[in-house]
């Protein structure tokens, strides 16, 4: 059965995550970490690349599904002529090894259920050896093993390198399954009580959700986005993956398929700001600490992304045995963009650490030493061309957003020293740098004829990232150049009321064939910009439309195709949910344009 990207729901345990379809099939799961090879890879291939379906016999998609309130516990209900049944899917916070738990509950009548479990290690390539050990079914191949335990009323049989389950469930009855991954060289993992794990998981998730300080309109959407960010956090280190998937396409059948199971620095300011705004100081502290560890070293070696523990080498390879989501190839593991030069990350790191300081996180003297070193490098590097925030694989340019974020770096360094007068640093030199960058961007990146900032110096292409100019304080929202940029971007990058990142016509900017969908984070940025420039009704209308693009359980991918009414790209995408949280605060939790118009620089 072919599923749209929006047909999936996310479950996870703060170290990895699974995608569960509306038909009750787990089609993607990497163990033991987000970036480990998948043991269920049907999402990017065929069913024989690994999946686990559990549903009424002969049934298609579930009748309805939802998360238990304030949690990442998924409840899918099928209503059949014979009766109704609920499947509860979750991954409890792990003690030592990861578990995937599925509990079938009879709601009415008597329903015949069937399950098909096909474990395929190494991204669907390796069929494991199956055997029974002490009442458990065990799959082993190379370094991996997986143990399936279930209630005794379930009949199972090993067939064709898989496990089939058949059983019936009546109203009030339950049947539980626990799949546990463990290193193959270790002894059998301890069994967990599935019902006790469910109660604990619900309590933990709901206690976390209740801490959210946001009380404005659309609180449910904000909480769901925060839960998604929490689910994408690698708890041992505090790093946050951009998405739990790889190679979900930005264009169906195209080549724009990337691995997002890593931590991008540019997400840091938005992530930390969102967590702090909502009251999650502990998570914000963990993310800042991860950031400091990851970027430590020579400032010239600063990368745009890192692995979950701060790894620097993320080599990109193609998984040629997978056919790709709806034949979108290649399927990739790793990301070669790690080697790109993207000067905006210096601004994002400086902004992140300034935000943490301003929000009251304990000031770190060692962090200031790092910031000084970053600024000393940026003083000579900011004027170089780079690859830009969109990781284009075309020629390097003087991208406007990169220069604006270099200005942000200098501005935040100056403001930090103003807040802490005793800090060592070259405040006079950085003030001069701030002015120099500002003058150059206004002179070389602004198209007087069209009244807009362009994507790069001397170009006519537009870039939705210029919508961030008032948000980062480069110019006030009242400046006519800001309004002109908002209007021009809105007009020329529009697709059915949503916004593309930039023009992909001819591949002249990004060096890639094909096109892509509208970029959801950019559409949230447009809502912010409309609000800041005084068009509050339009901003709220756009925000409402973006909320309607979420799937039935409140999740967003990276992009959206308005013509096909489908989500595109890796899923769920942290950047999209960060955009949702940020816009909710912009529209409902922060000063309006009258107050905001006085900020920024002229």
């Amino acid at each position: 059965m072919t599923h749209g990207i929006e047909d999936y729901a996310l479950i996870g345990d703060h170290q990895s995550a699974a995608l569960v379809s509306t038909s009750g099939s787990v089609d993607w799961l990497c163990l033991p970490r987000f970036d480990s090879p998948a043991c269920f890879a049907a999402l990017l291939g065929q069913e024989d690349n690994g999946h686990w379906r559990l549903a009424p016999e002969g049934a298609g998609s579930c009748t309805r599904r939802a998360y238990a309130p304030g949690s990442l516990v998924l409840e899918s209900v099928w209503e059949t002529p014979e009766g109704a049944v609920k499947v509860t899917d979750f991954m409890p916070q792990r003690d030592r090894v990861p578990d995937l738990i599925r509990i079938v509950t009879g709601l009415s009548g008597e329903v015949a259920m069937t399950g098909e479990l096909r474990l395929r290690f190494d991204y669907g390539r390796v069929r494991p050896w199956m055997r029974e050990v002490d009442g458990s079914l065990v799959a082993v191949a190379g370094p991996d093993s997986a143990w399936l335990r279930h209630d005794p009323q379930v009949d199972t049989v090993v067939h064709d390198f898989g496990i089939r389950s058949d059983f019936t469930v009546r109203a009030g009855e339950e049947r539980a399954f626990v799949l546990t991954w463990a290193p193959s060289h270790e002894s059998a993992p301890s069994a967990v009580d599935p019902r006790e794990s469910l109660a604990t998981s619900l309590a933990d998730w709901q206690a976390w959700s209740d801490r959210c300080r946001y009380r404005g309109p659309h609180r449910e959407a904000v909480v769901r986005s925060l839960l998604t960010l929490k689910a994408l956090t690698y708890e041992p280190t505090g790093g946050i993956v951009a998405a739990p998937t790889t190679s979900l396409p930005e264009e169906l059948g195209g080549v724009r398929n990337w691995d997002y199971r890593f931590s991008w620095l540019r997400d840091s300011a938005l992530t930390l700001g969102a967590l702090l705004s909502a009251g999650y100081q502990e998570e914000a502290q963990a993310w800042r600490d991860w950031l400091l560890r990851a970027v430590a070293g020579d400032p010239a070696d600063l990368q745009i992304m890192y692995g979950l523990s701060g790894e620097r080498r993320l080599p990109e390879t193609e998984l040629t045995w997978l056919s790709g989501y709806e034949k979108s190839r290649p399927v990739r593991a790793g990301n070669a963009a790690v080697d790109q030069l993207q000067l905006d990350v210096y601004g994002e790191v400086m902004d992140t650490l300034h935000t943490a300081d301003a929000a009251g996180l304990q000031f770190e003297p060692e962090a200031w030493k790092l910031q000084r070193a970053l600024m000393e490098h940026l003083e000579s590097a900011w004027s170089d061309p780079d690859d830009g925030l969109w990781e284009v694989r075309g020629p390097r340019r003087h991208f406007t957003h990169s220069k604006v974020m270099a200005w942000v770096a200098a501005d935040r360094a100056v403001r930090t020293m103003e807040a802490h007068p005793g800090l060592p640093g070259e405040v006079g030199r950085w003030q001069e740098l701030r002015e120099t960058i500002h003058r150059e961007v206004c002179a070389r990146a602004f198209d007087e004829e069209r009244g807009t900032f362009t994507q790069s110096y001397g170009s006519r292409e537009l870039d939705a990232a210029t919508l961030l100019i008032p948000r980062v304080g480069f110019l006030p929202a009242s400046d006519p150049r800001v309004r002109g940029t908002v209007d021009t971007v809105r007009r020329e990058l529009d697709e059915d009321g949503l916004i593309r990142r930039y023009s992909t016509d001819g591949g002249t900017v990004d060096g890639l064939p094909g096109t892509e969908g509208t970029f959801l984070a950019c559409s949230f940025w447009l809502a912010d910009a409309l609000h800041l420039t005084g068009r509050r009704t339009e901003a709220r209308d756009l925000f409402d439309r973006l909320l309607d693009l979420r799937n039935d359980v409140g999740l967003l991918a990276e992009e959206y195709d308005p013509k096909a009414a489908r989500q595109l790209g890796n899923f769920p995408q942290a950047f999209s949910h960060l955009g949702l949280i940020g816009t909710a605060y912009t529209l409902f939790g922060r000063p309006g344009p009258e107050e905001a118009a006085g900020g920024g620089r002229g």
Side-chain angles (χ1 to χ4, degrees):
M1 178 182 294
T2 301
H3 290 284
I5 292 170
E6 61 276 359
D7 291 334
Y8 286 93
L10 177 79
I11 59 174
D13 65 355
H14 312 307
Q15 296 190 46
S16 187
L19 294 187
V20 187
S21 74
T22 51
S23 67
S25 182
V26 182
D27 288 343
W28 182 254
L29 176 61
C30 301
L31 293 175
R33 302 188 352 163
F34 290 105
D35 56 354
S36 299
C39 60
F40 295 142
L43 179 70
L44 299 179
Q46 311 301 319
E47 286 190 345
D48 197 51
N49 293 125
H51 78 293
W52 184 10
R53 185 164 190 263
L54 186 58
E57 185 176 343
S61 295
C62 62
T63 307
R64 62 184 182 276
R65 63 178 182 170
Y67 287 112
S71 81
L72 212 70
V73 174
L74 180 68
E75 299 175 338
S76 304
V77 174
W78 281 262
E79 295 176 349
T80 75
E82 292 76 28
V85 65
K86 176 177 70 175
V87 177
T88 301
D89 292 318
F90 66 103
M91 295 177 68
Q93 294 189 37
R94 69 180 73 172
D95 179 18
R96 188 176 64 87
V97 292
D99 299 293
L100 169 58
I101 298 178
R102 316 192 74 180
I103 299 175
V104 181
T105 304
L107 302 178
S108 66
E110 181 176 336
V111 181
M113 300 289 294
T114 185
E116 183 179 59
L117 170 62
R118 293 189 182 187
L119 284 155
R120 299 291 185 265
F121 298 116
D122 194 19
Y123 297 106
R125 185 171 63 171
V126 177
R127 293 184 174 188
W129 171 38
M130 312 287 297
R131 70 189 193 278
E132 184 174 346
V133 177
D134 297 330
S136 300
L137 292 169
V138 186
V140 176
D144 301 292
S145 73
W147 298 67
L148 178 67
R149 300 178 173 103
H150 55 76
D151 288 340
Q153 299 90 340
V154 176
D155 293 325
T156 59
V157 59
V158 176
H159 173 71
D160 191 25
F161 295 94
I163 300 170
R164 182 179 174 88
S165 307
D166 294 289
F167 58 98
T168 59
V169 61
R170 300 177 179 85
E173 293 181 342
E174 285 187 348
R175 303 287 184 266
F177 298 79
V178 180
L179 181 68
T180 305
W181 178 93
S184 60
H185 64 276
E186 295 185 0
S187 57
S190 301
V192 301
D193 184 319
R195 294 159 183 87
E196 181 180 310
S197 294
L198 175 59
T200 301
S201 292
L202 284 170
D204 288 347
W205 281 115
Q206 290 165 355
W208 192 85
S209 299
D210 289 343
R211 289 167 48 201
C212 176
R213 293 194 310 213
Y214 179 79
R215 291 294 184 269
H218 307 292
R219 185 177 189 275
E220 176 276 330
V222 172
V223 171
R224 178 52 53 195
S225 291
L226 287 164
L227 282 164
T228 303
L229 293 181
K230 179 68 171 173
L232 299 181
T233 301
Y234 185 64
E235 193 169 58
T237 66
I240 299 176
V241 296
T245 56
T246 178
S247 303
L248 288 178
E250 298 169 9
E251 178 189 24
L252 293 177
V255 301
R256 298 168 182 264
N257 319 316
W258 315 110
D259 192 347
Y260 276 13
R261 297 171 299 157
F262 309 111
S263 295
W264 267 254
L265 291 189
R266 72 171 40 88
D267 296 359
S268 63
L270 290 173
T271 300
L272 187 140
L275 292 171
L276 288 173
S277 296
Y280 293 103
Q281 293 268 342
E282 182 179 338
E283 286 77 8
Q285 179 79 46
W287 173 237
R288 187 188 69 174
D289 292 346
W290 174 89
L291 177 67
L292 293 174
R293 293 192 303 271
V295 305
D298 187 342
D301 295 333
L302 189 70
Q303 297 184 179
I304 66 168
M305 72 178 88
Y306 296 85
L308 299 174
S309 299
E311 298 91 344
R312 292 173 176 257
R313 293 185 63 253
L314 309 173
E316 183 177 300
T317 59
E318 295 185 6
L319 310 181
T320 56
W321 59 91
L322 291 173
S323 58
Y325 178 83
E326 294 199 14
K327 308 301 180 184
S328 303
R329 301 180 73 180
V331 174
R332 296 178 170 96
N335 199 314
V338 69
D339 297 321
Q340 289 191 347
L341 173 64
Q342 297 181 18
L343 293 171
D344 64 295
V345 298
Y346 290 87
E348 278 129 16
V349 170
M350 295 296 293
D351 190 41
T352 296
L353 297 176
H354 174 75
T355 298
D357 179 50
L361 263 64
Q362 183 176 355
F363 187 79
E364 290 282 354
E366 290 301 314
W368 179 245
K369 291 181 182 179
L370 171 65
Q371 289 170 273
R372 288 180 63 193
L374 292 176
M375 286 305 304
E376 288 169 4
H377 175 73
L378 191 62
E379 284 181 89
S380 60
W382 76 269
S383 57
D384 295 334
D386 74 336
D387 297 298
L389 85 160
W390 299 128
E391 295 162 19
V392 300
R393 302 200 177 192
R396 287 182 176 176
R397 301 185 179 198
H398 291 284
F399 284 100
T400 301
H401 178 73
S402 297
K403 307 304 185 187
V404 168
M405 293 308 295
W407 175 91
V408 168
D411 178 72
R412 302 319 190 249
V414 169
R415 290 165 63 182
T416 299
M417 291 196 68
E418 290 171 347
H420 302 278
L423 287 177
E426 304 296 332
V427 64
R429 209 165 68 206
W430 296 337
Q431 286 172 331
E432 183 178 345
L433 175 64
R434 181 173 64 178
E435 297 299 328
T436 299
I437 298 173
H438 199 276
R439 284 194 302 269
E440 179 176 296
V441 171
C442 291
R444 300 186 63 187
F446 189 74
D447 184 337
E448 295 281 357
E449 178 186 348
R450 293 153 71 205
T452 183
F453 285 96
T454 58
Q455 184 176 52
S456 59
Y457 290 175
S459 73
R460 290 188 60 82
E461 290 97 349
L462 297 181
D463 191 328
T466 56
L467 295 170
L468 296 172
I469 283 174
R471 182 166 167 172
V472 300
F474 184 83
L475 287 173
S478 59
D479 192 294
R481 290 168 292 184
V482 170
R483 179 135 189 165
T485 299
V486 174
D487 291 342
T488 308
V489 166
R490 190 182 189 188
R491 181 174 62 251
E492 297 189 23
L493 293 183
D494 172 87
E495 186 173 342
D496 194 26
L498 304 175
I499 299 297
R500 291 175 284 122
R501 291 187 290 181
Y502 51 85
S503 174
T504 56
D505 298 340
T508 57
V509 174
D510 61 20
L512 295 168
T515 185
E516 64 179 20
T518 60
F519 202 80
L520 292 172
C522 295
S523 298
F524 283 114
W525 296 347
L526 175 60
D528 295 341
L530 289 171
H531 179 86
L532 292 173
T533 53
R535 290 167 278 186
R536 297 183 178 183
T537 299
E538 294 175 70
R540 294 188 183 194
D541 288 345
L542 177 55
F543 186 55
D544 287 342
R545 183 178 177 198
L546 289 164
L547 291 180
D548 288 341
L549 300 184
R550 298 178 302 151
N551 73 355
D552 58 322
V553 290
L555 301 181
L556 290 168
E558 181 180 32
E559 299 182 1
Y560 187 78
D561 181 349
K563 293 184 177 65
R566 293 189 61 173
Q567 296 199 31
L568 294 172
N570 284 305
F571 175 88
Q573 176 75 11
F575 214 32
S576 298
H577 287 279
L578 286 166
L580 188 157
I581 297 165
T583 300
Y585 272 99
T586 297
L587 300 188
F588 308 113
R590 291 176 182 161
E594 291 81 2
E595 296 88 341
R601 300 175 53 82

